[in-house]
Amino acid sequence: MLQKKNAVLVDGVILNGPIMDSKAGEKFVEEACKIIMEEVIQKADDVTEKVCEWRAPEALKQILDLEMRDTGESHQKVLQLCRDVIQYSVKTSHPRFFNQLYAGLDYYSLVARFITEALNPSVYTYEVSPVFLLVEEAVIKKMIEFIGWEEGDGIFNPGGSVSNMYAMNLARYKFCPEIKEKGLSGLPRLVLFTSEECHYSMKKAASFLGIGTENVCFIKTDERGKMIPEELEKQVQRARKEGSAPFLVCATAGTTVLGAFDPLDKIADICEKYGLWLHVDASWGGSALISRKHCRLLHGIHRADSVAWNPHKMLLAGIQCCALLVKDNSSLLKKCYSAKAAYLFQQDKFYDVSYDTGDKSIQCSRRPDAFKFWLMWKALGTMGLEERVNRALALARYLVDEIKKREGFQLILEPEYANVCFWYIPPSLRKMEEGPEFWQKLHQIAPIIKERMMKKGSMMLGYQPHQGKVNFFRQVVISPQVSREDMDFLLDEIQLLAKDL
């Protein structure tokens, strides 16, 4: 028989035994998982469900009871909150969620996320995260093979924006290594070049790193949204004549709106000629590398010095899953970012400390994002991932063909990726001459249709003005749950929602 111990108090706090009721906690997790299964997973591909249950912010605040109180709520109340959160959240796994550059549900990736959330690891040293560090190493090695490099390095980051910032800082460090210790003082005016269709993270990164947004030179693009190499070379020469120091070119493989791919080979020629670091933001388009049919879109990417690639987009690895891959294999990442924290990265450990890769990250705590990509890749194989890419682009082609057949729909341009951009011209505007009044009225159509579809909950589709063009829809095909019928529904629904416009 166990002897009962006397209570030990420190500062009036009893220290005997745990203060958590494990059995009650396990029961709560079990019931919550049942709700997740019934309300999220089992309804993920059900087109009869709403994509969203729209409520205005003030109304939603009242429904959710957001106030946090001194005493805790009952488990039943918390479980009801879980149901409410699910009900009023956007169902990004719904086959008719076309709003962003991510969508759908991969079951293997989801299970991987359940595992990592339960284990709660941090990927910085082998001693605390042995499995996930080895997984990240294996995934990075495989991604590097698809880029076409013989060797390289890399790290998973919280978003493609962060990967682009890493690359910008890495290019600057390569250009002037002393900046790590001496800072910005005494440096020449550093200038970087990117296309006018680039992701906005390039501007943010320049601001964050102290380079300055005025030192980001935006290169003109052609009618398809691709960077014009001749314009790039002109701007590099101009910057040099002005006494500035060009150090980086950021090309884009899959622009956010139009889905354009910059001519990487020609841009690489210019970078080699002028000694510039070439970074390719392939956050969106990088997954085309998996497809033998569509990898030609990224021809020349093997000549890049660094690449950003987000498997959570086209490949459905789950947000967030974003890698920065670097051709250099001389520990440039570690040299640039290491701080040699003695309490984490001791050099006299009993194992090979080269596996303690956390010092090449700007983060300390870091999620094992590579694991969900790895588990999904193990389950589907490369051929399964390739099928996803091929099918998505085939569905995009089907939608384009249907748009061309239907009255009132007007394609912005022939897509080369999964971005399908188009106007819907309602009956009242079809006989109007294309002058200022026409474009002003057409500009108002997409927002009205978007409001109606969200309040109805039938689907979600993005729109935007772009490069002088009035608001148009951008439909993105990603999810393997999407079918031809969903493409037909999209066009039918737009016509239905706009019949009185």
Side-chain angles (χ1 to χ4, degrees):
M1 188 174 178
L2 292 173
Q3 186 177 355
K4 191 174 181 180
K5 294 181 179 179
N6 294 327
V8 175
L9 276 79
V10 175
D11 293 336
V13 178
I14 299 174
L15 302 183
N16 298 54
I19 62 168
M20 292 180 69
D21 184 343
S22 297
K23 291 297 180 185
E26 290 166 12
K27 180 68 173 172
F28 174 77
V29 171
E30 185 180 335
E31 292 181 11
C33 284
K34 185 180 178 184
I35 293 171
I36 293 169
M37 177 59 78
E38 292 174 353
E39 299 300 322
V40 180
I41 299 171
Q42 291 178 351
K43 293 181 179 180
D45 60 354
D46 187 350
V47 294
T48 66
E49 292 287 328
K50 287 186 174 184
V51 178
C52 60
E53 190 74 54
W54 171 259
R55 293 291 186 279
E58 292 306 317
L60 191 55
K61 286 177 186 179
Q62 296 302 314
I63 293 169
L64 294 178
D65 184 21
L66 296 171
E67 182 67 28
M68 290 153 285
R69 300 176 177 83
D70 291 341
T71 56
E73 312 275 5
S74 70
H75 276 185
Q76 287 308 308
K77 179 69 183 298
V78 177
L79 288 169
Q80 183 55 49
L81 287 172
C82 293
R83 291 188 186 92
D84 292 341
V85 166
I86 292 169
Q87 180 179 351
Y88 295 104
S89 290
V90 173
K91 311 305 186 294
T92 63
S93 56
H94 195 289
R96 292 169 183 170
F97 174 80
F98 307 116
N99 209 67
Q100 313 296 146
L101 300 184
Y102 66 91
L105 174 66
D106 178 83
Y107 301 102
Y108 306 105
S109 168
L110 182 62
V111 167
R113 282 178 275 173
F114 287 162
I115 291 170
T116 55
E117 290 300 323
L119 289 172
N120 197 33
S122 183
V123 187
Y124 35 55
T125 63
Y126 184 83
E127 65 183 285
V128 298
S129 195
V131 173
F132 299 119
L133 275 169
L134 294 180
V135 163
E136 182 172 76
E137 179 185 63
V139 171
I140 285 171
K141 182 180 178 182
K142 196 71 174 176
M143 294 175 81
I144 282 170
E145 286 178 18
F146 275 94
I147 290 172
W149 298 335
E150 292 181 2
E151 58 181 10
D153 197 2
I155 194 162
F156 274 75
N157 301 308
S161 295
V162 174
S163 293
N164 288 336
M165 186 181 72
Y166 262 80
M168 190 179 293
N169 194 47
L170 198 62
R172 183 174 66 175
Y173 175 78
K174 178 80 173 182
F175 183 78
C176 45
E178 65 275 10
I179 193 172
K180 181 176 178 180
E181 294 179 353
K182 299 187 182 299
L184 296 170
S185 58
L187 284 179
R189 181 190 174 202
L190 298 176
V191 178
L192 64 103
F193 308 86
T194 188
S195 96
E196 58 187 10
E197 294 277 344
C198 76
H199 191 259
Y200 66 84
S201 60
M202 298 308 297
K203 207 169 182 180
K204 287 196 172 190
S207 171
F208 186 84
L209 294 171
I211 292 168
T213 57
E214 290 185 0
N215 296 317
V216 180
C217 183
F218 295 101
I219 307 301
K220 290 179 183 177
T221 56
D222 63 19
E223 69 283 353
R224 297 193 57 81
K226 299 170 180 285
M227 186 192 293
I228 302 171
E230 294 77 12
E231 291 294 327
L232 170 63
E233 186 163 22
K234 282 181 190 175
Q235 293 304 321
V236 171
Q237 291 172 345
R238 180 191 58 77
R240 282 186 159 189
K241 285 178 183 176
E242 290 175 353
S244 301
F247 74 103
L248 166 68
V249 174
C250 175
T252 309
T255 58
T256 305
V257 178
L258 300 179
F261 288 74
D262 288 339
L264 301 181
D265 247 342
K266 291 181 179 179
I267 292 170
D269 289 341
I270 295 167
C271 289
E272 285 182 9
K273 182 177 178 180
Y274 295 96
L276 306 176
W277 181 285
L278 174 57
H279 172 64
V280 177
D281 178 8
S283 297
W284 172 221
S287 296
L289 289 168
I290 299 285
S291 167
R292 286 165 290 183
K293 183 176 183 179
H294 298 291
C295 62
R296 58 178 171 72
L297 291 168
L298 298 105
H299 180 72
I301 196 170
H302 65 284
R303 300 176 65 186
D305 296 291
S306 58
V307 174
W309 178 359
N310 293 4
H312 76 230
K313 295 182 185 291
M314 178 63 78
L315 297 179
L316 277 81
I319 290 177
Q320 60 205 24
C321 189
C322 313
L324 172 71
L325 306 161
V326 183
K327 184 186 287 186
D328 177 276
N329 201 28
S330 67
S331 300
L332 186 67
L333 264 174
K334 189 172 183 179
K335 291 171 187 173
C336 180
Y337 291 110
S338 67
K340 300 178 181 178
Y343 74 95
L344 269 181
F345 304 111
Q346 305 92 330
Q347 298 303 295
D348 55 358
K349 291 180 179 180
F350 64 93
Y351 60 86
D352 183 355
V353 295
S354 68
Y355 286 97
D356 289 357
T357 57
D359 213 15
K360 64 184 180 183
S361 168
I362 58 171
Q363 298 170 257
C364 180
S365 299
R366 192 165 63 90
R367 296 170 61 89
D369 291 326
F371 179 62
K372 52 200 169 189
F373 189 26
W374 176 82
L375 193 66
M376 181 179 73
W377 204 331
K378 292 287 282 185
L380 298 175
T382 302
M383 291 177 67
L385 297 178
E386 180 183 32
E387 184 183 17
R388 286 188 174 177
V389 176
N390 291 345
R391 190 171 188 275
L393 296 190
L395 277 168
R397 172 47 52 193
Y398 171 82
L399 181 64
V400 168
D401 291 342
E402 290 302 305
I403 284 173
K404 291 176 180 178
K405 296 175 188 175
R406 298 209 185 195
E407 187 181 6
F409 289 88
Q410 185 175 322
L411 203 62
I412 301 291
L413 80 168
E414 287 284 343
E416 58 180 343
Y417 200 46
N419 308 46
V420 181
C421 300
F422 62 93
W423 283 299
Y424 178 67
I425 303 169
S428 65
L429 298 182
R430 287 175 197 167
K431 294 181 180 179
M432 186 179 290
E433 187 178 337
E434 290 188 5
E437 185 183 359
F438 170 85
W439 293 114
Q440 183 184 4
K441 288 187 175 182
L442 184 60
H443 185 66
Q444 300 167 7
I445 298 301
I448 295 171
I449 296 173
K450 177 65 177 283
E451 178 184 357
R452 290 178 178 184
M453 72 174 69
M454 288 199 67
K455 288 183 175 178
K456 185 178 177 182
S458 57
M459 63 181 185
M460 281 184 66
L461 179 65
Y463 74 86
Q464 64 286 301
H466 186 70
Q467 300 290 17
K469 292 181 173 66
V470 301
N471 282 326
F472 58 86
F473 290 111
R474 181 202 65 174
Q475 202 276 356
V476 182
V477 184
I478 298 175
S479 171
Q481 280 97 354
V482 174
S483 67
R484 175 189 65 79
E485 291 82 0
D486 295 313
M487 300 293 95
D488 294 336
F489 175 85
L490 180 145
L491 300 180
D492 291 341
E493 185 71 358
I494 288 174
Q495 287 179 314
L496 180 66
L497 294 170
K499 64 182 179 181
D500 63 332
L501 297 181

